[in-house]
Amino acid sequence: MESYLTLLVFFLIALTVALLVPNINLITNKFLKIDKANREKFEPYECGIPKINPIKGSYFAIFYVVALVFLLFDLETVFLFPWAVSFRKLGMLGIAEAFLFITILLVGFLYAIAKGALKWD
Amino acid sequence: MKEILFYLFGVISAVLALLSVTSKNVIKGGVALLGSFISLGAVYFTVGAEFVGIIQVIVYGGAIIVLYLFALLTMDVKKIAEEKVRGSSAAAGAFLSILLMILLLLEASKIAGKVKPAVSGAKELALPLFFKYLLPFEIVSILLLVATIGAVAIARREE
């Protein structure tokens, strides 16, 4: 647990920077009188092409399948985390097991690519 | 030190969770939920459940929030902000929440004081995971493979 305290300090530094930078903008916005109630503020992309409301159909499905595939490979990371932190202790057998694990999951990844699930069209 | 951090992150998590459901702007609510998830991960770290904390941050803070925000991206956020909360759904939600809380408190009171800190660090979990429970570990990869193929197949049905 103690080793994670360093991580917490790093996180707090990152959080401070992340909170400071947009707040500097907010202060300058007060002087520049930027309209916060503007409808554009609620758009996903403020400076993009105006969207045709509401977006539905396959557009949503593409986003959703990308997010789902990401979720599954995120879970793979969870299982590889213990392997990574005790890499030396596990030896050659550990490497072989982890590669078997990744190989099986790679089949799914190749399937997703073959089906064009990660293609933006 | 640990206890201070435990209560600090616990309170942050609860406050952000409250913000996430009361926020008028759904995107702000999503970000508050992200903060709540990460604080909850920190709570797990403070009680020594490192691996659970890591899972909380990676899976909930990473993947689940991405799913939520991708879904929110396609909605008309302004219209949701203007929508009135219906009394019946609020009542149903409150009823379910209170029921869940009572159940959790009942179960927690049964095991209170009996729980001992066990192995929960990622390093300690590696040996049993890769030797004793090797087969379940590899089966998990097949399960994830099935889930990947299922998700892709459903979402990309032949047009």
Side-chain angles (χ1 to χ4, degrees):
Chain A
M1 192 245 151
E2 276 69 31
S3 57
Y4 290 101
L5 276 177
T6 348
L7 211 68
L8 177 68
V9 173
F10 271 111
F11 180 72
L12 287 180
I13 293 168
L15 195 70
T16 317
V17 173
L19 287 177
L20 213 68
V21 172
N23 282 337
I24 290 169
N25 281 354
L26 282 183
I27 293 158
T28 51
N29 283 1
K30 283 244 162 63
F31 295 114
L32 295 170
K33 301 249 168 17
I34 286 172
D35 181 17
K36 265 180 87 180
N38 195 315
R39 217 201 125 79
E40 296 285 309
K41 284 274 169 203
F42 290 90
E43 296 288 316
Y45 296 107
E46 235 177 274
C47 311
I49 303 161
K51 79 175 176 188
I52 303 151
N53 277 341
I55 308 158
K56 53 186 168 193
S58 64
Y59 187 71
F60 178 76
I62 290 166
F63 268 128
Y64 203 67
V65 78
V66 169
L68 263 182
V69 172
F70 171 64
L71 174 74
L72 291 160
F73 286 99
D74 214 38
L75 276 175
E76 182 188 346
T77 320
V78 165
F79 283 99
L80 287 180
F81 190 88
W83 175 68
V85 291
S86 50
F87 181 73
R88 280 172 207 282
K89 218 164 59 180
L90 292 169
M92 277 309 288
L93 194 64
I95 295 175
E97 285 161 16
F99 270 84
L100 181 64
F101 183 76
I102 294 169
T103 311
I104 293 170
L105 281 163
L106 211 60
V107 177
F109 183 57
L110 292 176
Y111 178 79
I113 288 177
K115 286 287 258 182
L118 304 176
K119 221 160 65 188
W120 298 83
D121 46 12
Chain B
M1 181 68 183
K2 266 185 186 178
E3 264 154 26
I4 296 168
L5 285 176
F6 174 80
Y7 285 112
L8 175 71
F9 284 117
V11 167
I12 290 174
S13 181
V15 168
L16 285 177
L18 203 66
L19 261 180
S20 75
V21 289
T22 51
S23 176
K24 275 281 167 198
N25 188 334
V26 196
I27 301 291
K28 265 184 197 160
V31 175
L33 194 63
L34 168 66
S36 173
F37 282 160
I38 293 192
S39 313
L40 197 60
V43 169
Y44 291 139
F45 273 107
T46 56
V47 292
E50 286 172 16
F51 193 59
V52 180
I54 290 161
I55 292 175
Q56 174 74 25
V57 172
I58 292 178
V59 175
Y60 282 86
I64 301 289
I65 284 293
V66 167
L67 268 182
Y68 281 181
L69 289 182
F70 265 168
L72 288 178
L73 195 72
T74 59
M75 289 172 188
D76 194 347
V77 176
K78 182 88 178 179
K79 216 165 90 187
I80 296 171
E82 282 159 358
E83 231 168 58
K84 282 267 181 293
V85 181
R86 264 182 303 169
S88 58
S89 35
F95 174 70
L96 280 176
S97 308
I98 290 166
L99 198 70
L100 191 67
M101 194 182 79
I102 290 168
L103 281 174
L104 280 174
L105 282 178
L106 275 179
E107 286 304 307
S109 64
K110 271 186 207 161
I111 57 165
K114 283 183 213 158
V115 186
K116 288 191 200 91
V119 185
S120 55
K123 237 177 204 159
E124 291 80 20
L125 272 171
L127 278 182
L129 186 64
F130 280 88
F131 292 108
K132 198 176 167 196
Y133 300 106
L134 177 58
L135 189 66
F137 173 69
E138 296 298 345
I139 287 171
V140 161
S141 74
I142 294 169
L143 194 68
L144 285 175
L145 172 69
V146 170
T148 314
I149 290 174
V152 171
I154 289 170
R156 299 292 277 183
R157 224 173 272 157
E158 300 302 325
E159 278 99 26

